[in-house]
Amino acid sequence: MSFVVESIAHELDVFLGVTWRDWSTTLIPGSLFVLSALRELPFTEAIRNYLLLVLWLSLFLYFFNLSNQITGVEEDKINKPDRPIPSGNITMAGAQLRWFIAFSAFVGSAAFEPTLLPAIICWVATTASMVLTPGGGNWFWKNTVSMTTGTWALFQASWRIVAPMTLKMETYIYAVAVWTGLNMQIQDLRDIKGDRAIGRSTLPVVVGDRASRIIMAFVFMPMAVYVLHISGILQLAPVTLGILHIALVYRVLHMGGPRYDHKTYMFFTYIFCAVIALAGNEDIALDPVWRLIDRVVGQGDTKVCA
């Protein structure tokens, strides 16, 4: 019994070591996205669907991260030495076995829910292009293209596990996917040293640290905000999203070192969670800042009228 418990504990430790950095871009936003849809279901069905969602998102993340970390050990030795492979917590053979199991379970999930097949194919193809082709080392393909398709796959499947797809939700998913791809260059600001060492052509490596920040802040981010605007997501919380994006621009432009840049990337993932939560829950999406302003202005008008 103790052996079984220790084995389970070890596998959980490995899973956490492989995935924890990316929960704020997969497990958490995927859960936030479907809250309103879950509220419409009977309690037992909602619990069942949510557990299936968490399982699918875990496989989605585990498969991708193992693929990335198996092929990126040298980079991780520099940028993220605490990960299971470079730290020695698991062997390369052990990582490959876990990858095979995760991949098989992920692809096999289509047998239980055929509507997930397009998202599964999309994510497998995206992952393969990132770890098996030169595109994985190019800033445009790695971030703008792959993270757009990956985000689409993530939320397409998340919604379909819980509820039928609608045209409006499809539009929101496409918008969030493009918004993500435009902003994902931010993640490379923290890893310049490791990326340069292995010859990866990220935007900061190609054009320089400062120039890349200017491009992100004044080209990609305005484009991303415009995508939210034309899709209708920005209108759900214009003041809050506006403030968050301005804060993100400030952090991107401030050259505070790798640790600061990592916190900036994490701040971006929190905005990512907020954006997808608004998209999936527009019936309860209320802009807290806008409501406060409206309340203050309303009180002021009342006093004047009095």
Side-chain angles (χ1 to χ4, degrees):
M1 179 63 72
S2 61
F3 173 76
V4 173
V5 173
E6 289 177 3
S7 297
I8 293 174
H10 177 65
E11 289 307 315
L12 287 174
D13 181 60
V14 171
F15 175 78
L16 291 173
V18 170
T19 65
W20 71 269
R21 283 185 172 89
D22 298 302
W23 285 18
S24 59
T25 56
T26 49
L27 290 166
I28 295 173
S31 298
L32 292 173
F33 182 45
V34 300
L35 283 178
S36 283
L38 288 171
R39 288 170 58 240
E40 300 298 321
L41 299 175
F43 180 75
T44 54
E45 185 178 353
I47 294 297
R48 170 187 170 276
N49 286 1
Y50 182 66
L51 291 176
L52 289 174
L53 173 63
V54 171
L55 176 60
W56 191 86
L57 290 173
S58 298
L59 292 172
F60 177 99
L61 179 58
Y62 203 31
F63 153 66
F64 173 77
N65 279 18
L66 282 171
S67 301
N68 186 46
Q69 292 172 32
I70 286 171
T71 58
V73 178
E74 295 305 314
E75 177 189 359
D76 284 343
K77 287 179 180 178
I78 300 172
N79 291 333
K80 302 175 180 73
D82 61 301
R83 282 178 166 173
I85 300 176
S87 69
N89 192 22
I90 58 174
T91 64
M92 179 60 73
Q96 291 170 340
L97 175 60
R98 289 172 176 85
W99 176 90
F100 178 76
I101 294 172
F103 171 75
S104 300
F106 179 65
V107 173
S109 64
F112 297 94
E113 185 53 69
T115 60
L116 302 181
L117 187 59
I120 291 171
I121 293 174
C122 178
W123 189 229
V124 170
T126 297
T127 302
S129 74
M130 292 181 67
V131 301
L132 298 177
T133 73
N138 176 268
W139 66 269
F140 181 76
W141 186 266
K142 179 174 78 78
N143 292 324
T144 307
V145 175
S146 296
M147 289 299 98
T148 297
T149 58
T151 302
W152 176 86
L154 172 68
F155 294 121
Q156 268 280 328
S158 295
W159 191 265
R160 289 184 183 278
I161 288 172
V162 175
M165 184 60 66
T166 65
L167 179 60
K168 175 177 282 190
M169 202 54 60
E170 188 87 56
T171 301
Y172 283 171
I173 290 171
Y174 276 115
V176 174
V178 174
W179 176 87
T180 303
L182 288 169
N183 282 316
M184 194 53 76
Q185 311 299 336
I186 294 170
Q187 71 172 329
D188 292 330
L189 292 172
R190 58 187 177 165
D191 294 334
I192 296 175
K193 181 179 178 181
D195 290 335
R196 185 177 286 119
I198 65 170
R200 177 173 287 164
S201 300
T202 63
L203 190 62
V205 171
V206 172
V207 304
D209 190 4
R210 183 174 295 278
S212 70
R213 293 171 188 272
I214 293 173
I215 293 171
M216 292 177 202
F218 298 114
V219 178
F220 291 143
M221 285 190 205
M223 292 171 62
V225 172
Y226 182 68
V227 170
L228 294 185
H229 169 68
I230 61 176
S231 69
I233 296 175
L234 183 63
Q235 289 83 328
L236 298 175
V239 178
T240 300
L241 290 178
I243 291 172
L244 289 174
H245 280 84
I246 291 171
L248 183 61
V249 167
Y250 171 80
R251 290 194 63 93
V252 167
L253 291 174
H254 181 68
M255 301 175 68
R259 183 179 293 274
Y260 182 89
D261 290 331
H262 173 69
K263 292 180 179 179
T264 298
Y265 171 69
M266 294 308 299
F267 180 63
F268 161 69
T269 67
Y270 304 150
I271 300 176
F272 175 72
C273 289
V275 168
I276 198 62
L278 287 168
N281 303 277
E282 64 170 359
D283 58 325
I284 58 173
L286 297 173
D287 190 328
V289 177
W290 184 256
R291 290 181 67 197
L292 178 61
I293 293 173
D294 185 59
R295 182 178 301 175
V296 171
V297 172
Q299 289 176 349
D301 290 343
T302 301
K303 291 178 181 179
V304 171
C305 292

